[in-house]
Amino acid sequence: PKWDVPDVVVLGVAVVGVFIDREQNPNIPILPDEIRGAIEECVDLGAISIHMHVRDDEGRPSASLENFHKVIDPLRTKYGDRIVVDGGCMTGTSFPEAVGPVTDGLFEMSIVNPSTGLLGDNLRAMSPDTMRAQAEYFRDCGVKPLIDVHDTGSIENAKRYLIDAGLIDPPLVWHLLPGLPGTMYFPHPRAMTEGLLFLVNRIREIDSESVIMVSDPGRSTIFLSTLAMLLGLHVRVGMEDTLWKFPHKDERIESSREVVEATKEIAHHLGRRPATAEEFRKFVGIEKPWSQTPAAKGSERTIRA
């Protein structure tokens, strides 16, 4: 009998993140025009899930709403509902500043990060109160939570603080980023395979209908994306959390475009085609396209005290 593998794969891209700087990779986009141009190259190839970060003029991670608008507003003008934009709300000196892109209606999905621990050379600490507050605020704004997973602790925390508490409505959407320094240890392909399968199996035990997207961080790069597509999962690629084209070589990625192009080609040879934004919204339970939301029509939201 035929295998149960989805025909479509959501092809996501993240052209810049919060860790890699130009000293590590001189090709990383920093300024809003650079970030927007890099995203457009990928959308034109079929990437419809756009993960957003912005930097300040010095290249540091930023919560600047002005810079978010400089990137996203022209993208919406050009592509409209043909893209789904998400991002994280972990940068800023206050809760209102951090969730600003959600308040302004820039994101259709936003990350909830139930992980605490070393990430690279940094300590990330997300308290249960912060996780719950973000999930509740996103729900009130009509924004779909995207659960970030770095290891099994992230899954257990999400279940305990968010899912069992009824703060996230199904279908559950998970974003897996194993393989970053300080997370799951992926020193070789066998460890990568065992690790990804372990995470996916634990998530399926919580909710068998979960939507799962896998990123390509650290050294695993396109090997992990290929494995994810073999397993019928969705993928996000790009320059956000990796320097490398391949796990076993030291060639640096020159652009997110080249990774999107390679991933699309692999998907084609696996018999899977890139999903449309409309299909992606249906998978994750977003009922209306962005153009029909109050944010697109110019209304303002007020953050609760």
Side-chain angles (χ1 to χ4, degrees), residues 128-142:
D129 285 344
T130 299
M131 296 178 217
R132 288 190 289 252
Q134 286 184 337
E136 187 175 2
Y137 185 68
F138 298 162
R139 184 180 62 186
D140 290 349
C141 292

Side-chain angles (χ1 to χ4, degrees), residues 45-64:
L45 286 170
I48 52 87
S49 175
I50 311 303
H51 180 65
M52 279 297 308
H53 289 280
V54 294
R55 304 283 186 97
D56 62 20
D57 291 344
E58 303 301 319
R60 295 182 296 256
S62 173
S64 168

